[in-house]
Amino acid sequence: MSEISTDLVRHLASLARIDLSEGELQSLTGELAQIVDSIAKVSEVATPDVPATSHPIPLRNVFRPDEVRPSLTVEQALSGAPEREGDRFKVSAILDEEQ
Amino acid sequence: MPELIHLSAAELAAKLASGEVTSVEATQAHLDRIAAVDGDVHAFLHVSDTALDTAAAIDARRAAGEELGPLAGVPVAIKDVLATKDMPSTSGSKILEGWLPPYDATVVARLRAADLVPLGKTNMDEFAMGSSTEHSAFGPSHNPWDLTRTPGGSGGGSAAAVSAFEAPLALGSDTGGSIRQPAAVTGSVGVKPTYGGVSRYGAIALASSLDQVGPVSRTVLDAGLLHDVISGHDPLDSTSLTDEWPSMADAARRGGTGEALTGLRVGVVRELSGENGGFQAGVKQRFDETVAALTAAGAEVVEVEAPSFEYAVAAYYLILPAEASSNLARMDSVRFGLRVRPDSGPATVERVMSATRDAGFGAEVKRRIILGTYALSAGYYDAYYGSAQKVRTLIQQDFAQAFDKADVLISPAAPTTAFELGSLVDDPLAMYLNDVTTIPANLAGIPGMSIPMGLAPEDGLPTGLQLLAPAHADARLYEVGAAIETMLTDAWGHDLLSQAPLLKEAVK
């Protein structure tokens, strides 16, 4: 059995910035434990002599000339913003109000 | 003109080119079909309100004598994972509901440049996570063969649209089978190109090392015609290949003569052939019959082994969630999409982000983000993500050895026919196993195709044959796929979708 606990899932959810309810935490804990048990077998064949593959078709570095090219206008870039102020994305406070 | 919707894209294009039919007529026929049946099928999340204008402009240019491309004026449906600046692009998620991207995906820009007519955006599992469209935030699509069943997923909307004759062509995306499995269970054709063969720019990313956009259609030739429009190098995608691709449509036409099968070395992958059970009896039966027919047609059928495939699903469900958890970090309530404030407490950006992602993501997306966060976290990285990347190498080696012995590999494209809506949605592991046949190709980056393989005797529902070729050899898939399509339809005396039950058209 894996060591997936509700506390671990709560921690992972905070890292992933998802405000899960207690009910979601409980059901996810059980589901994740089951999923992790079934996928942990990858380590059976991953011996040290096997190289890792991160990309299916290897490419060398892809370069292009450093030239100014057409890109989104400010209006286009801001067109989907939930809130804007002038030419900027408006976000909530970065720090707690008390600080 | 109801008969217009039953033409293949190639047949329709010929009638458009000769002037026998206008693009406005063809587009109107498909819009009428959508209006009549999509209440039941729910293939579309959005139907274009400018399609007829687009079609009229193309007709005018043709009338003026302008030289147009081979698919000019042909309607096409677009999976909602692709950014379209004139239609909302949600990837099936509440978090992007109503979002109008400020740019087109490269494949969409190429459709427009080739004068195809976008009909609308098709339904999908949220962020392409699923095998049934039941994880769409906007309700599931229904299989035109049996409305109580799923059309597969994640691209069930695109497959349902072409198999319900709502569109002759559609675009899909395939990360672990999302084009091929829906094609298999709806009796249509779907192709996942070689990784990097088609631009991913503007395809809302699920797992960047696995995602690939490809064509969905009712014939192999039609898929090849659409493939030719969308493929080729794109400087906006740094993983885009610089290959000079041969015409896939030409390859399909060559294959359609049937001669491609003589002397062809066909490898049956033992681990994907249902020898160890797990496949529906009727799927296995149709597959075995197809293998026998290939032998009779002069192909040399050999069995190949791929021992590492046993670990493919496990590796996939580590690599995909890891990449998805990173990619979906952009859904942060700042630059686009939903913003939800917490019910109580200070509305800091971090708390707004967490409340937004809780409200905007569905259960499967949350599950995979948490799983990916776990797989990438310190202390687990080597055991899980690192090991999964090594499995990827082993799978590539298995394919390399198999392609030493065979020109193409074949297997059933899905282990079962279409399953009932609701039957797997609460069992994530069972749902994941639906992709057991398709996942290895994504891990290795090779091209794959699903074509109709007949109806399973026990339920009368479509089965699909998967063909796999080495990376860069997409044209071989089209040549062989068209040859097998010809062999099978000649044996049946009709094409498979002509056997689909007639959908009841709503009274207008």
Side-chain angles (χ1 to χ4, degrees):
Chain A
M1 271 303 288
S2 70
E3 77 295 70
I4 305 282
S5 65
T6 307
D7 281 346
L8 176 64
V9 174
R10 187 178 285 114
H11 174 63
L12 293 168
S14 78
L15 289 176
R17 304 284 188 270
I18 304 177
D19 189 9
L20 296 178
S21 68
E22 275 305 312
E24 285 177 310
L25 284 171
Q26 294 299 335
S27 56
L28 260 178
T29 302
E31 289 160 3
L32 278 185
Q34 196 193 3
I35 293 168
V36 168
D37 280 345
S38 75
I39 60 186
K41 68 175 180 180
V42 289
S43 56
E44 289 171 15
V45 286
T47 49
D49 56 307
V50 180
T53 295
S54 61
H55 196 271
I57 313 271
L59 293 174
R60 283 192 296 273
N61 275 343
V62 178
F63 295 112
R64 62 170 174 80
D66 186 15
E67 291 166 349
V68 176
R69 292 186 303 180
S71 61
L72 295 183
T73 63
V74 170
E75 280 309 314
Q76 286 172 326
L78 286 168
S79 63
E83 279 188 87
R84 65 181 284 182
E85 191 168 296
D87 284 350
R88 297 180 179 83
F89 295 104
K90 184 174 180 184
V91 299
S92 314
I94 303 293
L95 303 171
D96 286 354
E97 283 164 350
E98 292 81 359
Q99 289 176 288
Chain B
M1 267 197 281
E3 69 276 15
L4 277 181
I5 61 171
H6 292 106
L7 298 174
S8 71
E11 291 164 345
L12 180 57
K15 288 186 188 291
L16 288 163
S18 71
E20 188 183 332
V21 172
T22 67
S23 180
V24 167
E25 289 167 338
T27 302
Q28 186 66 59
H30 287 94
L31 291 172
D32 288 348
R33 176 68 172 176
I34 293 169
V37 302
D38 210 52
D40 287 336
V41 178
H42 194 225
F44 284 86
L45 292 179
H46 178 87
V47 178
S48 170
D49 49 17
T50 57
L52 287 171
D53 296 339
T54 305
I58 294 164
D59 286 337
R61 286 166 48 214
R62 197 189 302 273
E66 197 175 320
E67 193 76 20
L68 301 175
L71 288 177
V74 176
V76 62
I78 299 170
K79 190 178 181 184
D80 207 36
V81 73
L82 295 163
T84 47
K85 59 186 178 188
D86 57 347
M87 292 184 276
S89 305
T90 70
S91 210
S93 182
K94 279 261 184 286
I95 210 166
L96 287 177
E97 189 166 14
W99 181 55
L100 269 182
Y103 63 94
D104 276 335
T106 294
V107 289
V108 172
R110 288 183 179 178
L111 294 183
R112 297 194 207 276
D115 292 312
L116 281 88
V117 179
L119 284 175
K121 304 297 289 289
T122 57
N123 196 16
M124 57 185 285
D125 289 291
E126 183 176 7
F127 291 115
M129 297 184 193
S131 307
S132 69
T133 72
E134 292 168 287
H135 293 306
S136 168
F138 308 107
S141 300
H142 298 258
N143 193 314
W145 288 80
D146 177 347
L147 294 170
T148 68
R149 294 174 189 258
T150 89
S154 69
S158 284
V162 301
S163 54
F165 301 95
E166 295 173 277
L169 297 171
L171 289 181
S173 69
D174 190 313
T175 305
S178 287
I179 289 176
R180 289 163 288 159
Q181 181 257 13
V185 300
T186 58
S188 52
V189 173
V191 179
K192 180 201 98 66
T194 295
Y195 180 85
V198 175
S199 171
R200 293 184 297 109
Y201 179 75
I204 297 168
L206 169 55
S208 302
S209 78
L210 303 164
D211 297 345
Q212 190 58 201
V213 177
V216 176
S217 63
R218 293 190 293 262
T219 71
V220 176
L221 172 59
D222 284 1
L225 288 163
L226 185 56
H227 193 135
D228 286 343
V229 169
I230 59 173
S231 71
H233 182 248
D234 176 16
L236 296 174
D237 173 0
S238 62
T239 60
S240 169
L241 299 175
T242 53
D243 296 42
E244 290 292 328
W245 297 98
S247 164
M248 304 301 159
D250 285 352
R253 288 190 189 98
R254 272 197 313 278
T257 63
E259 287 159 24
L261 298 178
T262 311
L264 181 77
R265 296 179 307 157
V266 177
V268 174
V269 187
R270 191 163 65 164
E271 286 76 6
L272 301 182
S273 63
E275 290 301 328
N276 303 323
F279 283 57
Q280 186 179 322
V283 172
K284 179 89 177 83
Q285 182 186 336
R286 292 297 179 237
F287 180 69
D288 291 343
E289 288 166 3
T290 305
V291 171
L294 282 167
T295 304
E300 180 195 329
V301 177
V302 294
E303 185 179 83
V304 298
E305 291 182 17
S308 302
F309 284 15
E310 185 191 338
Y311 300 91
V313 172
Y316 177 83
Y317 278 101
L318 286 161
I319 292 168
L320 179 141
E323 295 189 12
S325 67
S326 308
N327 274 325
L328 293 178
R330 76 190 52 165
M331 305 300 158
D332 59 5
S333 77
V334 172
R335 291 155 300 166
F336 41 74
L338 188 68
R339 177 177 287 183
V340 173
R341 292 180 190 285
D343 291 336
S344 58
T348 62
V349 70
E350 187 179 320
R351 298 190 74 242
V352 171
M353 210 177 279
S354 298
T356 301
R357 288 160 65 83
D358 179 46
F361 288 147
E364 180 64 16
V365 174
K366 291 175 181 175
R367 192 150 46 224
R368 295 205 200 179
I369 290 176
I370 300 292
L371 179 60
T373 307
Y374 174 67
L376 290 176
S377 56
Y380 304 107
Y381 181 94
D382 286 341
Y384 292 138
Y385 189 63
S387 296
Q389 290 192 313
K390 291 184 173 195
V391 169
R392 209 165 175 175
T393 306
L394 295 172
I395 285 167
Q396 289 196 328
Q397 290 170 352
D398 281 356
F399 271 125
Q401 283 170 14
F403 285 124
D404 279 345
K405 300 187 191 122
D407 303 309
V408 295
L409 304 178
I410 60 170
S411 77
T416 68
T417 57
F419 48 91
E420 296 276 347
L421 284 157
S423 61
L424 296 182
V425 72
D426 294 322
D427 188 349
L429 271 176
M431 188 76 92
Y432 295 172
L433 287 173
N434 257 288
D435 299 333
V436 63
T437 47
T438 47
I439 278 173
N442 299 81
L443 290 171
I446 65 168
M449 170 185 281
S450 177
I451 62 172
M453 185 172 72
L455 303 178
E458 63 268 45
D459 54 22
L461 292 169
T463 67
L465 174 71
Q466 176 176 237
L467 295 132
L468 301 168
H472 308 280
D474 303 49
R476 191 184 302 168
L477 280 188
Y478 280 97
E479 185 166 354
V480 174
I484 298 177
E485 178 185 54
T486 301
M487 174 185 84
L488 292 175
T489 48
D490 284 355
W492 300 330
H494 53 73
D495 63 82
L496 196 74
L497 274 165
S498 68
Q499 304 305 294
L502 292 176
L503 291 168
K504 202 165 56 183
E505 298 212 344
V507 181
K508 274 170 281 186

